[in-house]
Every structure is written in structure tokens, then in C-alpha cells.
Amino acid sequence: MLSVRVARDQGLGPLVLLFLVGGCVVSGIESSDYSEAEVLPDSFPSAPAEPLPEFLLEPEDAFIVKNRPVQLRCRASPATQIYFKCNGEWVNQNDHVTRESLDQITGLVVREVDISVSRTQVEELFGLEDYWCQCVAWSSAGTTKSNRAYVRIAYLRKNFEQEPLGREVRLEQEVLLQCRPPEGMPAAEVDWLKNEDVIDPSQDSNFLITIDHDLIIKQARLSDTANYTCVARNVVAKRRSSTATLIVFVSGGWSSWTEWSECNAQCGRGWQRRTRSCTNPAPLNGGAFCEGPPFQRVTCTTLCPVDGGWTEWAKWSACGTECTHWRSRECQAPPPRNGGKHCSGSMMESKNCTEGLCARTVVPGMGVAVYAGLVGALLLCVILVLCVGVLAYRRRCRHLHGDITDSSSALTAAFHPGNYKPPRQDNPHPLHPSAPPDLTATAGAFRTPLFSLQHGVNDSPHKIPMTTSPLLDPLPSLKIKVYNSSTLSSLELPADMGSGNGEILSLKSVGTIGREREYHSHTLSREPGLSTSATLGNLGGRLTIPNTGVSLLVPPGTIPQGKFYEMYLIINKWDKTTLPSEGSQTVLSPVVSCGPSGMLLNRPVVLTLPHCAQLDTPTPDWTLTLKSQTHQGAWEEVLTVGEETLSSPCYLQLEEECCHVLMEQLGTYGLVGQSCPPQPACKRLQLALFAPRAPCLSLDYSLRIYCIHDTPHAFKEVLDLERSLGGVLLEDPKPLLFKDSYHNLRLSIHDIPHTHWRSKLLAKYQEIPFYHIWSGSQRPLHCTFSLERGSLAVSQLTCKICVRQVEGEGQIFQLHTDIQETLPPHSPLPAGGTCLPSSQVGPYAFRLPDSIRQKICASLDAPSARGCDWRLLARSLGFDRYLNYFATKPSPTGVLLDLWEACHQGDADLVSLATALEEMGKSEVLVVMTTDGEC
């Protein structure tokens, strides 16, 4: 039984089915809505299976330009029928233009259909969806539908949303010309014209066209003086903005002064002049002319020439063996001056003194005696020279074998000079390596320049300047403790070395040279607690040094696909690196190395550094500079905050306690700063009080107060140091704002119970010099208060320790402790109270899933006419200090999200990001974050 169904759909009209039954053609079967015809042959052979229709050509999106209709075409094989359906309704059969052919290879029927869509049809559509059409093809196996093709009416508004404005800029200044094209469908493409020539940034790297269609001239040149026009075009029309005239001017500069001319008076008073010209450079394009006079004139006095004159002849000399005598005169009456002529004539004259009666006689053997005398004098000179050399050599050897070699070498410990010798046994003042380190002296100290311990104990007093402070005169002895972070040694000097040299001594031995050479050969020591490393690939990750605030974020896609690198993050120790500060600059962060250097990065990484700059003042009082160390060990400026240009290789995001650096070159970095007049800047310091671990079995007891940067790394460094010395933290660290006022830090102890305790410090207070704290070159700085109890039975200690900057802020420690009570060791945790892992690899290192990240980037990367794009996201997140940095990246939103990840690594929930997107009105992205993320 063969069942055939024939249907008539809307707009198609009756369909006629032709088929063969027993070799006869049966036709004329029609159906109004639905009908069925049955044929019951006794024996009917089955037809071969025919595949579903396959579209060889599908309709494409089209735009109606003005009133011209668009043609939509599709082609399918095998296909018995093809019809278009537009907006859910079948297109009338009469509107189809059908062509049929036979595929020569497969032998299947190929059917092609065209329709026209007019502007009227598109305009009559009501609703939110655009006008669309799709093809439906039939075969005996079934039907196949093509993709939808959207038909839109093309247009381009006449008025630009923002046109470029003419400007006058100085030479080498960065220039931004803004352009927002008119609204259009499709979106207009933008070109920039310079004097009617199209600008191609690939041909001239000084030009940059952002994704917002702005034109940036990195450094204005004289040749950039021109008329600039923004041109927007699409399939409908081309629009030109008003022309913006850019004038690059050059202000004039003075050349160097010429040499002073000769005095115009040859004798007496006159004048001389020098000139300069306004040609370095000459003013151009309306630039300002040089200020000041083009010449200078001063008075001069030319001394008149005085010719020389002879004095009177002197008396004749006695008659000599040659039977002559002589007399002389000098050219001193007057002597020639100021270019005057010299005396003419001879200075001496001689004549025979016997009037020819004297004859010369020759004494036998006289020549031999003369030569013998000369030889004897020569030998005497040689002997004297040898004696002087032997005495100088013995004196030098005595100087090299003196006690000063022992002291300076011991003080420098790991940095011994080449002539180091062990201390002699008769040295009455041995070193005490077990004594706690100190960097202070008693009152009245730090008033004179610093000196190194490079003089012997018995050297003359003029070699080491002594203070004249009256506070130190009555002291029977002076105890100076010198601290070095590598040796932790102290030296006690006798009182006869000087009457009160209270300098804080700076130890810099010749061993430092060797240390610098090792560093410059890129030998980076990875010490526990100061470094971390991990193998990272294309999925990225995060390196974190626990309890230091230092981390490195490597976003996904930074490392090329298929490559893996062993990446590291190291905090350089202060005694093994040169510091980036110079002049009045101060170090504000640890010096951190990340690598390997020379890596090819596809996108910026984010380095997080803690800093101790006080930034919550209403007016900016810091000039902050990021510095990088070259392979030769020298420091060079990378960028200054607030002075970024398009050539700046980094972007620095400042927060109150840390900074985040977006960079594409790994290396060694550090943050420095200096005061920005007229306000003095402040550094955040921490004061930490330590004492020996109980039980105390000695009558002596010491309190050590450290003055360190208010960063997690600095506090961790002090804790590790005190742990090695057997010290314990008595109280939580106290903050202190240290002002750039050139005033020292003063420390004093008060209210000691004198019945049971006494202070070994005879002075009223101790001071740490301002420069030691401000430069950050000496770490860690501290003072020691040495106390002595009356007996071993005394265990309670109550006192008050005051620490303040002279004419500045201060803190007070109210101490009440039992020195026999065992205190638990202090182990710091980050601000969040948890310890972040040292390394996280792949998606686990990021709070934002990759699917959400891609959808946010797709939604915000494209520029929006209303400004609701990545620029608004940057303002909402507080990353808008220099938007041009992000505008030069392929995905500005992706870089912003990387920076957001780095800023929220400890508390990285999606609330802050979701809030920013909600304020922007990006509800579709919020839906994605709610369904895909864990908001």
C-alpha cells in the first residue's frame, strides 16, 4: 500500500504531485487543507533512499540602502522544493525566482531560489526583533532549514557625537584628538586624515588610533602641524567632521653666551660685552620668544703697560783664578708689568782684573780629586735613599699589623678585607658577638658627620673628631654598639679613645665590592621565607611570598600556548643589593625580583608591593617613582606616578598600604619617593619592643626597640632576627608617622623603680639620626636600653618608654612585665587572618571564572556611544588615573579584570565587581555572573 499526503500551506497555492504507478502518470491530486490518496498495487518496487537537502548557499545578512531592495538567495541539493519564510510567514510562491540544475558529479537536483525584500516590508514590521528570513528545502527524506538572515535599513546620522578640536601644543608633547562618529547601521568605520591624507599607524608609529576612534600623537613633531579630520563611513554614506588645526609650537631658547670681548680701553677703564641669540631653538609657530637680554656688558680696567728698567751695577767681584772679575744688574727698576717691554742689554759683564799681568797655573792631580768627590757624594745619596725606604716599609708594616685591622675586620665579619688577621691575644678589648646589636649612642650624639671604624685605638685625637657636648664629658666610659645585619656584632670602646664620640657608626667594608660583583652576575639567593617559585603555563597562576604582602599575578594567556616557565619571586635582602634611592629619595617598598627576565609575555602581569608611604592626606605630598635595576646593577626610573605617557612601559595602581604594577617586562623593581613641596611627606613606621626570653638568669636585662617600615615584610624580618637572638615581642607594634623634617627620632626610658632596678645609660635619651630612618639604607634600626636589677629575686619590671620624632609625633610603651614569665612566641598573620598559599596554578588562582571573564570582555571592550563600556568600569573600580594605558591593549576590560584580581586577592568576592556592573546597567552580565559564578 502506498500512502501519499499532499498539503497546501499558507501562500503556496495547490501542490500537484506527479508519480508513476505501473508505468502510468497519475496527476491532478489536489488538497485544500489536508488530503490523502492511497494506491494499492499488487507489486510496487521501493525507490532508492534520497538524502536530506543540504544547503550549498545560505542567505546572508543584508542592509537596505536608501530605497533599493535587497536580494536574498539560497541553494540546496537535493531539493524538490525551496521556499522562503520571513518573520514566521511563508513568502508567496509568486515572489520566488527559482532555478534548477543537475549536479554533474552526484547527479542530484540543485535548486536555487531568490526573493526581494523591500524597505516597506522591513518598516512594516513591529516588535523588538529585526526583520529576518530563512530558507526551507524539501526532499523525499524530509526538510532542512537554513540560518536566519537579518535585513536592516542602513543609515548614518549627519552629526558627530564628538568632533576633534584644534589645539596648540609644545614640541614633544602628547596630543589627544577625540572623535565620536555619528550613530549608524551598520556601525561606522573611522579614518583620520592629515591634510587629506589617510593616517596609517602601521607606517608611522608616532600615531595611535584607539578602539574609541581617538587619535593619539605620542610626541608632537614640527611635521605634525596640520589639519586633522575625522571621517566616518558605512554602506550608506560618508561623513566628515569639522577640521581640527593642530599647531606644534617651539618656544625659543637662548644659545650659550659667547666669550667676553676684549676690553675696549687699552689703558684704564673701559667695558667689555658678551652676547647670546634666541636660536637654541628659535621660536616657531607662535612659540614664545626668549626672556631676558640678548647681551651683557660689564666694566673693565686695563692696566697700562710698564717697561722694565735696569738697576745700578753691583760692585765688582773679587779677582778669580781666570784673572777676571764680574758685576751684575737686574731688570727691576721698575720690573716690566702689564705687557711692558723687557730691559734691553746684558745682565752681567766681566773684564780682566790684572790688566794682562796675571797668568793661569794648573795644579797637578786636581782633576782626580774632583771626580773622587763626585763619586763619594753619589754613594752617600744612594745610602740615604735606602734608609728612608726601609723606615717607610717598617712603619707601613707596623700600621698593617696594628689592632685596627682586627677591629675593622671583626666588625665587618663576613666581609673581611684581604689583609685580615685574627685578633691578638693581648687585645684588652675583645669583641662580644653575643651582645645584642644596637645602632645608637648616648645623648648629644649624631650632631656631626658619620665616621667608619678605620682608626686604631692609639691614633692621635685629630683622626676621630670628638663631640663637644657637655653631656658626655663626665662619662667614665662610652659604650658604642655597632649593628650589621650580617654579623650582629658589637664593639665596646674604652673611654681613652675619645671624650664622647657618640657617632652611630656605618660599617662598609671592602667585602661589599665582591658582593656587588656576585649580584651583578645575576646570582639571586632564594632564602626560605623570602622567595617562592612555580612552573606556570598558558593557564597562568599566582606567586605569593607568605606574610610579606608581595605577590605576582600571571593572568591566563600571558604565557604562550604550549610553553611552560619556572617563574620565581624573590625579596632581595638589604645587605645583598644596592638600594634604588638617591639624593633626598627614600625607599618605600622591598626590593623584589621576579623572573625569569627576558620572558615574552602576551599580556601584562601584576606585581604587588607593600609600601610605607602615608597617602591619606588631602593634598599630594609624595612624588612616587618606580625604579628597575639593569643587568649592570644600576637603577633607572621606569615611571613617575602622575607623569605617565604612552611610552611608559608600566601602570601603577596605588592603594593605602600597597601598590600594584602592571608590567610586561620581568626584573628587579622597587618603589621610592620624595617629598613634594611645600608639604613634607610622612612615612608609616612601626615600633616593636623586644626583650630576652624568660627565664632571665642574669642581673642584666635589655629592652630593644626597633624602628621599621610599616610593611609585613619588615616586621617579619625583625621577628626572624629576634628569634635567632632569643628575643620575644612584649607588646603589639605601635604605629608612628615619621615626617620629612630633618629631625631625629628620640627614645627615652622613664619611671624605673630605682629601689630594684637601675639604668646603665647615663644620658637622658638616645637618638637615631633622621637620615638613617628616611633613606631606608640601614635595616633594621633599633635602640637598646640596658638595665640591671638589684638581685636575682627581682622579677617585676615597670617602666615607660617614650619614642617620638623631635618636633613631631610620638608613642609611649607602658611596660609591666614579669621577666621570669614565659611569653608565647609571636607569629604574625596577614590582615585577613589567614596565610595565603605560596603558589596557585591554573584556574584556582583566580576568583573570576574564565567564562564570566570572557562575557564581560565581550560586553565592554567595544566602545559605546553612551560611554557605557570599559572606561566606565575603570571609573567604577577606581582604575581611571591614566586610561590611555588600557586603551592601547587589545582587551582593555581583560587588563582591568586582571588588576581587580590582584587588588582583591585576600577578599576576592564578586560583590564589588557586581556592584560596579550594576551601576553601569549591565544587567545581562549580572545574570551570567549569578548563574555561572558564585556571587
Side-chain angles (χ1 to χ4, degrees):
M1 168 180 162
L2 175 63
S3 176
V4 180
R5 295 181 179 181
V6 182
R8 183 179 63 188
D9 208 333
Q10 299 175 0
L12 293 179
L15 297 181
V16 179
L17 178 64
L18 302 177
F19 58 91
L20 292 173
V21 178
C24 299
V25 178
V26 180
S27 63
I29 301 177
E30 296 185 0
S31 174
S32 57
D33 293 325
Y34 185 89
S35 66
E36 183 176 274
E38 293 187 355
V39 180
L40 303 174
D42 294 335
S43 174
F44 190 82
S46 61
E50 191 177 24
L52 284 171
E54 180 181 353
F55 280 97
L56 305 178
L57 177 65
E58 296 188 67
E60 298 179 350
D61 294 345
F63 294 95
I64 295 178
V65 179
K66 298 182 179 178
N67 291 322
R68 294 192 294 270
V70 297
Q71 300 293 325
L72 298 181
R73 174 178 300 174
C74 65
R75 184 187 307 126
S77 173
T80 57
Q81 292 293 339
I82 301 179
Y83 290 98
F84 271 94
K85 178 185 287 187
C86 294
N87 294 321
E89 296 182 359
W90 292 102
V91 179
N92 192 290
Q93 184 179 6
N94 297 329
D95 295 335
H96 291 73
V97 178
T98 305
R99 288 176 293 276
E100 184 177 326
S101 62
L102 192 66
D103 193 327
Q104 299 298 328
I105 299 176
T106 62
L108 299 177
V109 176
V110 178
R111 189 175 297 274
E112 183 176 290
V113 174
D114 294 348
I115 65 169
S116 295
V117 179
S118 66
R119 183 186 185 101
T120 305
Q121 291 175 271
V122 176
E123 290 178 343
E124 288 177 351
L125 176 67
F126 293 96
L128 299 177
E129 194 173 15
D130 292 333
Y131 190 95
W132 61 268
C133 295
Q134 70 177 161
C135 277
V136 181
W138 282 270
S139 73
S140 61
T143 61
T144 304
K145 295 182 180 180
S146 70
N147 292 329
R148 292 184 177 183
Y150 290 92
V151 180
R152 301 178 178 91
I153 298 175
Y155 68 94
L156 184 64
R157 306 288 186 204
K158 291 184 178 181
N159 297 326
F160 280 74
E161 295 183 4
Q162 184 174 2
E163 295 186 293
L165 302 177
R167 298 179 58 186
E168 293 184 0
V169 297
R170 66 176 182 275
L171 188 68
E172 297 184 352
Q173 180 180 339
E174 180 180 311
V175 183
L176 173 64
L177 297 178
Q178 294 181 314
C179 175
R180 297 292 177 271
E183 181 183 355
M185 177 63 68
E189 298 179 1
V190 173
D191 291 324
W192 279 90
L193 303 181
K194 175 184 176 182
N195 290 338
E196 302 304 321
D197 293 330
V198 178
I199 296 176
D200 186 0
S202 63
Q203 300 296 327
D204 190 345
S205 59
N206 196 44
F207 291 104
L208 176 66
I209 299 178
T210 68
I211 60 176
D212 298 333
H213 311 302
D214 295 336
L215 176 65
I216 296 179
I217 304 176
K218 299 177 182 178
Q219 288 184 326
R221 304 161 297 191
L222 289 176
S223 59
D224 294 329
T225 299
N227 294 323
Y228 292 86
T229 308
C230 180
V231 179
R233 53 183 170 81
N234 66 2
V235 295
V236 179
K238 179 191 295 186
R239 309 289 188 212
R240 292 171 57 99
S241 70
S242 59
T243 299
T245 301
L246 178 66
I247 298 177
V248 182
F249 66 84
V250 179
S251 296
W254 289 114
S255 64
S256 300
W257 288 104
T258 61
E259 296 293 332
W260 288 103
S261 65
E262 296 291 337
C263 194
N264 64 340
Q266 296 184 355
C267 181
R269 289 178 60 85
W271 56 268
Q272 58 186 155
R273 61 179 293 171
R274 63 176 182 176
T275 60
R276 60 179 179 177
S277 59
C278 189
T279 57
N280 187 31
L284 290 174
N285 298 334
F289 196 80
C290 305
E291 296 182 0
F295 66 90
Q296 287 182 341
R297 188 169 69 171
V298 295
T299 59
C300 59
T301 302
T302 303
L303 299 177
C304 299
V306 177
D307 296 336
W310 293 113
T311 60
E312 296 293 333
W313 287 105
K315 295 182 179 180
W316 290 102
S317 65
C319 195
T321 57
E322 301 292 333
C323 301
T324 59
H325 62 172
W326 53 271
R327 66 177 181 176
S328 64
R329 60 180 179 176
E330 296 181 352
C331 188
Q332 295 292 331
R337 295 192 304 271
N338 307 326
K341 297 179 181 179
H342 200 274
C343 304
S344 60
S346 60
M347 295 179 59
M348 299 182 62
E349 70 174 358
S350 62
K351 68 177 182 177
N352 193 290
C353 57
T354 60
E355 297 182 358
L357 300 178
C358 179
R360 286 189 261 178
T361 59
V362 179
V363 179
M366 184 176 179
V368 176
V370 171
Y371 286 114
L374 291 176
V375 172
L378 182 61
L379 290 176
L380 181 60
C381 291
V382 172
I383 293 172
L384 289 175
V385 170
L386 289 176
C387 292
V388 171
V390 170
L391 290 176
Y393 175 76
R394 293 185 63 186
R395 178 172 298 177
R396 181 182 180 188
C397 290
R398 186 185 302 113
H399 175 69
L400 292 176
H401 288 78
D403 289 339
I404 184 61
T405 303
D406 304 332
S407 301
S408 62
S409 300
L411 284 172
T412 53
F415 312 112
H416 295 305
N419 60 350
Y420 169 73
K421 297 182 180 297
R424 300 186 300 185
Q425 298 300 325
D426 57 348
N427 186 0
H429 306 288
L431 297 175
H432 304 285
S434 63
D438 198 353
L439 251 181
T440 62
T442 52
F446 320 117
R447 306 297 186 186
T448 55
L450 300 178
F451 295 88
S452 299
L453 286 178
Q454 297 179 356
H455 303 284
V457 204
N458 300 321
D459 286 350
S460 59
H462 70 274
K463 294 186 178 180
I464 302 182
M466 300 302 172
T467 180
T468 58
S469 172
L471 292 174
L472 298 179
D473 292 340
L475 296 181
S477 64
L478 177 63
K479 190 171 185 178
I480 300 177
K481 296 189 177 181
V482 183
Y483 170 69
N484 184 288
S485 60
S486 60
T487 63
L488 302 179
S489 61
S490 62
L491 174 66
E492 185 173 348
L493 302 179
D496 57 356
M497 182 176 175
S499 60
N501 181 14
E503 301 294 334
I504 290 184
L505 305 174
S506 174
L507 300 179
K508 295 182 180 177
S509 66
V510 294
T512 309
I513 301 175
R515 212 165 52 244
E516 291 176 357
R517 289 175 181 170
E518 293 177 4
Y519 178 82
H520 297 175
S521 63
H522 307 103
T523 303
L524 297 174
S525 59
R526 304 191 184 185
E527 301 191 14
L530 295 180
S531 63
T532 184
S533 62
T535 302
L536 301 182
N538 183 259
L539 295 179
R542 190 196 303 267
L543 300 181
T544 303
I545 303 180
N547 301 333
T548 62
V550 177
S551 65
L552 178 68
L553 181 74
V554 183
T558 301
I559 299 175
Q561 186 74 34
K563 293 187 178 295
F564 293 87
Y565 292 99
E566 177 73 19
M567 301 192 68
Y568 60 82
L569 186 64
I570 300 174
I571 299 178
N572 297 300
K573 298 191 69 174
W574 294 97
D575 56 346
K576 294 184 179 180
T577 184
T578 56
L579 295 181
S581 59
E582 57 184 12
S584 61
Q585 291 179 338
T586 177
V587 181
L588 298 174
S589 75
V591 177
V592 175
S593 298
C594 54
S597 59
M599 275 184 58
L600 178 62
L601 304 178
N602 292 338
R603 60 188 302 167
V605 298
V606 188
L607 176 64
T608 299
L609 298 174
H611 67 78
C612 60
Q614 180 69 11
L615 300 177
D616 61 353
T617 55
T619 57
D621 47 16
W622 279 104
T623 299
L624 300 176
T625 302
L626 182 69
K627 289 192 174 183
S628 173
Q629 194 168 31
T630 63
H631 294 288
Q632 291 75 26
W635 287 93
E636 58 183 15
E637 293 186 4
V638 179
L639 67 85
T640 299
V641 177
E643 300 179 6
E644 295 89 341
T645 63
L646 285 176
S647 59
S648 299
C650 300
Y651 175 83
L652 192 143
Q653 178 67 24
L654 272 176
E655 294 185 348
E656 288 189 5
E657 297 182 355
C658 65
C659 63
H660 310 279
V661 185
L662 282 163
M663 58 187 182
E664 301 181 33
Q665 184 66 42
L666 302 180
T668 300
Y669 292 88
L671 183 68
V672 301
Q674 64 183 10
S675 291
C676 181
Q679 296 294 330
C682 290
K683 289 175 67 173
R684 292 181 289 105
L685 304 180
Q686 276 186 322
L687 304 173
L689 178 61
F690 288 86
R693 183 173 288 115
C696 182
L697 304 179
S698 172
L699 294 177
D700 293 333
Y701 192 75
S702 60
L703 299 173
R704 292 185 293 276
I705 302 180
Y706 287 83
C707 176
I708 57 177
H709 285 176
D710 188 9
T711 60
H713 162 254
F715 187 44
K716 179 180 181 295
E717 184 182 15
V718 170
L719 285 177
D720 294 341
L721 173 63
E722 279 295 326
R723 189 177 296 113
S724 65
L725 295 175
V728 63
L729 183 67
L730 295 182
E731 291 188 18
D732 289 335
K734 294 182 179 293
L736 177 69
L737 291 180
F738 192 78
K739 186 178 296 185
D740 184 12
S741 61
Y742 299 97
H743 290 295
N744 298 340
L745 187 70
R746 181 171 296 176
L747 303 94
S748 57
I749 188 168
H750 307 273
D751 301 341
I752 302 174
H754 295 287
T755 55
H756 302 292
W757 294 84
R758 76 175 185 88
S759 174
K760 292 186 177 182
L761 182 67
L762 300 181
K764 296 180 180 179
Y765 54 83
Q766 304 183 62
E767 285 189 351
I768 300 179
F770 166 82
Y771 178 74
H772 284 194
I773 299 176
W774 190 256
S775 67
S777 59
Q778 309 247 355
R779 296 215 173 175
L781 297 171
H782 73 276
C783 285
T784 299
F785 289 99
S786 298
L787 306 177
E788 184 180 7
R789 52 180 172 165
S791 65
L792 294 176
V794 177
S795 62
Q796 298 294 324
L797 175 61
T798 303
C799 63
K800 180 170 64 175
I801 299 178
C802 298
V803 184
R804 70 179 182 90
Q805 186 181 13
V806 178
E807 299 184 8
E809 297 188 8
Q811 286 285 3
I812 297 178
F813 288 91
Q814 294 284 357
L815 184 61
H816 183 79
T817 183
D818 188 343
I819 65 174
Q820 303 299 345
E821 179 184 356
T822 303
L823 297 176
H826 191 278
S827 58
L829 288 175
T834 59
C835 181
L836 296 175
S838 61
S839 62
Q840 297 170 292
V841 180
Y844 299 101
F846 309 100
R847 184 66 182 88
L848 196 63
D850 187 59
S851 59
I852 297 179
R853 169 190 290 267
Q854 292 181 3
K855 291 177 181 178
I856 295 177
C857 293
S859 175
L860 299 181
D861 273 345
S864 170
R866 297 179 300 157
C868 188
D869 50 21
W870 63 269
R871 294 167 296 176
L872 186 57
L873 177 64
R875 296 188 187 96
S876 301
L877 297 179
F879 301 159
D880 57 338
R881 185 171 50 79
Y882 187 68
L883 290 177
N884 283 342
Y885 176 84
F886 302 98
T888 59
K889 305 304 174 187
S891 175
T893 310
V895 180
L896 290 172
L897 294 178
D898 295 339
L899 185 56
W900 176 85
E901 288 272 6
C903 294
H904 296 83
Q905 60 173 325
D907 57 345
D909 57 16
L910 300 181
V911 175
S912 60
L913 183 59
T915 303
L917 293 173
E918 183 179 8
E919 293 175 352
M920 296 172 59
K922 291 293 182 178
S923 56
E924 69 278 6
V925 181
L926 285 176
V927 173
V928 172
M929 294 181 62
T930 305
T931 56
D932 295 354
E934 299 175 3
C935 185

